[in-house]
Amino acid sequence: MIGLADPQTAELWAIYYGLRMAWEREMTSVVVFTERRDAIDLINNPDPAYPMAGLIEMITMLKWEAWSHVDIQHIHADANVAANVLATDCLDGEGGLKEFAEPPHAIIHLI
């Protein structure tokens, strides 16, 4: 719930917050899956003229922390059903970052 944003920008924010949460929780190995190849391309080949270049830089800085492994990979939409359900059915409209201690019931059968 980041307000008005195009899908690519929303995905970049999700990648940033996901990496930041993993780093804050002292995880050492992280694989991020995204349906957005264009987001991966922007992270791997930053364009200083891109309107969200600052966000790309924050993601890049997180990637360069002392992880044992960090990778951002493409996943096809049909293999990412749980994430799509979370994005559409499990939000309460209050905004902000949501963290679940347990998977919501709506996705248990998907994972």
Side-chain angles (χ1 to χ4, degrees):
M1 303 290 288
I2 59 170
L4 294 176
D6 61 89
Q8 180 184 64
T9 300
E11 190 66 16
L12 289 168
W13 278 112
I15 291 168
Y16 168 73
Y17 280 116
L19 287 173
R20 193 177 88 182
M21 286 173 57
W23 184 251
E24 289 171 354
R25 285 157 182 75
E26 300 179 354
M27 296 177 182
T28 58
S29 182
V30 177
V31 178
V32 176
F33 293 102
T34 177
E35 297 173 24
R36 305 286 312 199
R37 285 186 194 268
D38 53 354
I40 296 170
D41 291 341
L42 279 168
I43 293 166
N44 291 333
N45 302 298
D47 176 2
Y50 178 67
M52 298 301 290
L55 176 57
I56 300 294
E57 183 177 347
M58 292 188 312
I59 293 169
T60 302
M61 290 171 54
L62 273 170
K63 280 182 61 181
W64 287 107
E65 292 289 356
W67 306 88
S68 63
H69 176 81
V70 63
D71 192 20
I72 301 174
Q73 299 180 11
H74 178 258
I75 187 171
H76 292 282
D78 58 347
N80 206 16
V81 177
N84 290 332
V85 170
L86 281 172
T88 58
D89 296 343
C90 295
L91 298 177
D92 57 16
E94 290 180 13
L97 185 63
K98 301 293 181 198
E99 187 173 349
F100 300 99
E102 299 286 329
H105 292 284
I107 67 164
I108 288 177
H109 69 285
L110 299 171
I111 54 177

